[in-house]
Amino acid sequence: MTDPRGTHPRRSAPLGVVLFTWAPPVLAWATGVAAVVARETTVAALALVAAIASSVYAPWARRRYEQRRDALLERTQIDALTGLPNRILLLHRIEQLLRGSWSRDEHPSLLFVDLDRFKNINDSFGHEAGDEVLAIVGRRLRDAVPSDATVARLSGDEFAVLLPAAASEASAAELAEALLIDIREPLALRRGDLFITASIGVATLSATKNSSALDLLRNADNAMYRAKDAGRDCVGHYDASMQERIAHRLALETALRRAIERDELQLYHQPILDITRGEVVGFEALMRWQRGEGDLVSPAEFIPIAEDNGTIVEIGAWALREALGQLRDWITHGVCAADATMSVNVSPRQLSDPAFPDVVMGALAGASLDPSALWLEVTESLMIGEPELALDSLRSLGERGVRIAMDDFGTGYSSLSLLQKFPLHRVKIDRAFVQGVATDGADRSLVRTIIAMASALDLDLVAEGVETMPQLETLGQLGCHKAQGYLISRPVPADAMRTTVSGLGRLGHLPGIGPD
Ligand code: C2E
Ligand code: MG
Ligand code: MG
């Protein structure tokens, strides 16, 4: 029997079986291959598209990234108000200069420019006017310097001019003088003309010394402070001796911060004598600093530092507590009369601390003393700057019975009208006028005027720094009946006060002292 399709039946059966068993996997495989091929084709196509796209996109993205980075750098290195390089960029330029080399004829220099009393402009005319001033000054500086110079705004009212190739230190200083003249020109602000001056410090890079950009900036900054100290509106020069003084001051400052916790501060006291009664009526507390094993440091040296770095607030509070505690002790132990007073010197910085009245009242309460036992000694320097907060503190303390003395009277700036603003109860005639009161006609008339003014304003009077009997007698004749000074007693440690006071009892027998 022949198969109609010519296939041997015995062989067709196995083929059927083969087809039957293999067709599905083969088909599946074929479909899979097709799918894989299709997938890979898609991937390849996509890759091709991506490659084409990225060849177009990548440079665009890079450009955009660079633009953004530059804008960011610009923002971080250019001062937005003046359009000038800022501190970071200036330091970068100085570093570049330091890495390079310069010839013998070049003296790279930095001018540090600080506007004088700029804060007054902001305070009086507002920040907008302040910004206008800064923008104009920035332009003036840029217009006045050589083209290779960098003018930068460092911060606030501070600018700097980097002269990479100044011919000499003197020529850098000459340029600084010329800049001062430019800055002095009236500034045409929207609100009208305004005048301003600046102080400029000049420092030159040393080719021999290893210095950094920050060193140069610091030297120029220090030189600028010299100009400020010399009265502003002038040029200050850096010299190496400044560095030593600065290092000394820095060491003092660091040590001072630890002085309280190390128990290194103490108070000496100087008695105040009522000449007519021949009695000690009070004491002035004067701070001393026993620095480590070393000598006593004078308050004239460390008080200004404490004022600058703010430690005076803590030190001053300590002095108030200590002095009043001491007075309480003397009264209790009969060293002085029950109505004797304690005078404590206070700095403007303490007075502008809103907590000051509470500190004072707390110290009085701690010593169980009436507010009338305390005299706060302030100086005329309080009038400079913004005395409002200080005046508020003094008024509030005055209302509670604490009395205020104007110390070193006659050496400061106070005018009668300013004096009237103060809740004052006493003036202390400065030693400078007391010194010549018995011998110098001009000093005597000045003291006479001060005494007349005090009596017109109904103020108590104390003469400071009395060293001789003729001084004491003359003061008495002129109408000043209270005095302190080396003639009566030097400032002494607390434990020496009993002997000092009893020794002073004997002074009552001297002519001019004690009841007639
Ligand atoms: P001051 O308050 O005017 O104190 C008077 C200064 O004159 C004291 O100097 C005193 O020792 C000195 N003195 C007193 N009698 C005579 C005299 O007959 N002849 C001479 N040549 N000098 C005399 P000291 O103790 O060196 O204090 C200097 C200044 O330091 C004080 O001047 C005061 O302004 C400040 N000071 C002292 N202690 C403190 C304090 O606790 N707080 C604050 N804020 N300042 C203080
Ligand atoms: Mg004083
Ligand atoms: Mg004084």
Side-chain angles (χ1 to χ4, degrees):
M1 184 177 104
T2 310
D3 191 292
R5 283 167 294 174
T7 328
H8 197 278
R10 270 202 334 219
R11 288 185 68 190
S12 64
L15 183 68
V17 172
V18 166
L19 279 178
F20 181 75
T21 46
W22 285 100
V26 167
L27 263 176
W29 172 82
T31 327
V33 167
V36 168
V37 168
R39 200 163 57 227
E40 286 189 351
T41 314
T42 315
V43 169
L46 280 176
L48 190 66
V49 171
I52 295 167
S54 80
S55 69
V56 178
Y57 175 77
W60 176 81
R62 196 178 318 116
R63 260 200 316 279
R64 194 161 157 68
Y65 160 75
E66 281 168 1
Q67 277 167 357
R68 280 193 179 158
R69 185 202 55 194
D70 290 350
L72 208 69
L73 270 182
E74 178 109 331
R75 270 223 300 281
T76 55
Q77 302 205 329
I78 298 290
D79 168 55
L81 178 67
T82 56
L84 295 172
N86 65 10
R87 190 172 189 275
I88 302 171
L89 188 51
L90 175 80
L91 287 172
H92 177 68
R93 299 223 171 132
I94 303 176
E95 289 293 354
Q96 278 180 327
L97 196 64
L98 283 167
R99 276 199 292 273
S101 56
W102 57 88
S103 78
R104 280 179 172 278
D105 303 332
E106 291 171 338
H107 299 269
S109 298
L110 189 70
L111 314 184
F112 196 111
V113 183
D114 186 286
L115 301 185
D116 296 329
R117 302 196 171 93
F118 177 71
K119 191 173 174 303
N120 288 353
I121 296 182
N122 267 340
D123 290 349
S124 319
F125 307 119
H127 286 267
E128 233 170 75
D131 285 355
E132 271 188 88
V133 169
L134 294 172
I136 297 174
V137 170
R139 274 200 300 278
R140 283 191 186 170
L141 292 175
R142 207 171 34 200
D143 292 347
V145 301
S147 57
D148 61 349
T150 297
V151 176
R153 179 173 172 226
L154 301 175
S155 68
D157 62 343
E158 293 172 349
F159 295 85
V161 180
L162 176 65
L163 303 167
S168 64
E169 211 172 319
S171 80
E174 255 170 50
L175 178 69
E177 295 284 355
L179 294 180
L180 286 182
I181 296 171
D182 283 346
I183 294 170
R184 259 179 241 140
E185 287 291 309
L187 304 154
L189 305 190
R190 275 193 287 271
R191 58 166 300 282
D193 278 2
L194 199 99
F195 293 86
I196 195 159
T197 58
S199 302
I200 304 185
V202 182
T204 297
L205 261 181
S206 150
T208 48
K209 274 199 185 148
N210 277 337
S211 44
S212 70
L214 279 173
D215 287 337
L216 183 66
L217 193 61
R218 195 195 52 219
N219 293 350
D221 189 9
N222 288 332
M224 184 278 291
Y225 272 105
R226 222 178 208 195
K228 292 266 185 213
D229 286 346
R232 301 183 171 89
D233 191 18
C234 61
V235 176
H237 298 268
Y238 175 79
D239 72 64
S241 73
M242 286 175 76
Q243 210 50 53
E244 280 161 37
R245 263 178 291 136
I246 292 161
H248 174 68
R249 194 189 150 103
L250 212 65
L252 269 187
E253 195 174 320
T254 316
L256 186 59
R257 285 189 192 277
R258 301 207 188 96
I260 290 193
E261 67 196 54
R262 289 188 180 167
D263 227 5
E264 292 180 341
L265 293 177
Q266 48 178 313
L267 293 181
Y268 274 38
H269 298 269
Q270 189 174 37
I272 299 174
L273 193 74
D274 184 316
I275 310 168
T276 21
R277 283 157 52 194
E279 258 179 48
V280 172
V281 289
F283 308 89
E284 177 173 4
L286 294 159
M287 213 182 289
R288 299 289 180 267
W289 176 18
Q290 176 71 58
R291 192 183 164 195
E293 299 291 294
D295 294 335
L296 276 187
V297 186
S298 149
E301 190 170 2
F302 72 83
I303 294 285
I305 298 175
E307 282 171 355
D308 274 1
N309 69 15
T311 37
I312 191 68
V313 172
E314 194 189 345
I315 290 176
W318 168 85
L320 274 161
R321 287 192 299 272
E322 186 78 8
L324 291 172
Q326 191 58 69
L327 179 64
R328 159 52 54 214
D329 193 57
W330 286 334
I331 293 175
T332 307
H333 293 98
V335 172
C336 60
D339 60 355
T341 60
M342 181 59 76
S343 299
V344 180
N345 293 283
V346 290
S347 301
R349 182 89 179 240
Q350 285 171 271
L351 287 169
S352 48
D353 173 17
F356 184 70
D358 290 342
V359 169
V360 172
M361 296 315 288
L364 282 164
S368 309
L369 285 169
D370 192 78
S372 63
L374 175 64
W375 285 94
L376 292 179
E377 295 198 0
V378 300
T379 60
E380 291 161 281
S381 61
L382 200 62
M383 314 271 192
I384 311 164
E386 297 155 87
E388 290 314 318
L389 203 57
L391 280 177
D392 283 349
S393 286
L394 291 180
R395 284 193 196 109
S396 121
L397 285 166
E399 280 159 17
R400 293 186 235 184
V402 174
R403 287 173 294 173
I404 317 296
M406 180 61 80
D407 204 354
D408 308 340
F409 186 73
T411 56
Y413 298 84
S414 49
S415 62
L416 269 182
S417 63
L418 274 174
L419 272 184
Q420 269 180 326
K421 275 175 100 179
F422 264 80
L424 263 198
H425 307 90
R426 168 184 280 178
V427 290
K428 296 186 77 172
I429 309 172
D430 192 71
R431 183 165 63 92
F433 313 117
V434 169
Q435 253 176 349
V437 76
T439 47
D440 183 304
D443 278 354
R444 191 161 40 248
S445 346
L446 225 145
V447 170
R448 192 180 283 119
T449 311
I450 295 175
I451 293 173
M453 182 211 73
S455 87
L457 294 174
D458 203 20
L459 299 175
D460 187 56
L461 263 171
V462 174
E464 298 189 279
V466 180
E467 292 181 352
T468 67
M469 272 318 285
Q471 288 169 354
L472 194 70
E473 280 164 3
T474 316
L475 285 163
Q477 285 155 13
L478 292 175
C480 174
H481 303 296
K482 288 194 189 106
Q484 66 184 100
Y486 292 172
L487 174 72
I488 299 155
S489 163
R490 284 181 178 261
V492 295
D495 55 11
M497 193 52 87
R498 182 180 287 278
T499 335
T500 305
V501 173
S502 53
L504 283 175
R506 291 191 289 276
L507 260 185
H509 304 292
L510 290 174
I513 299 182
D516 298 326

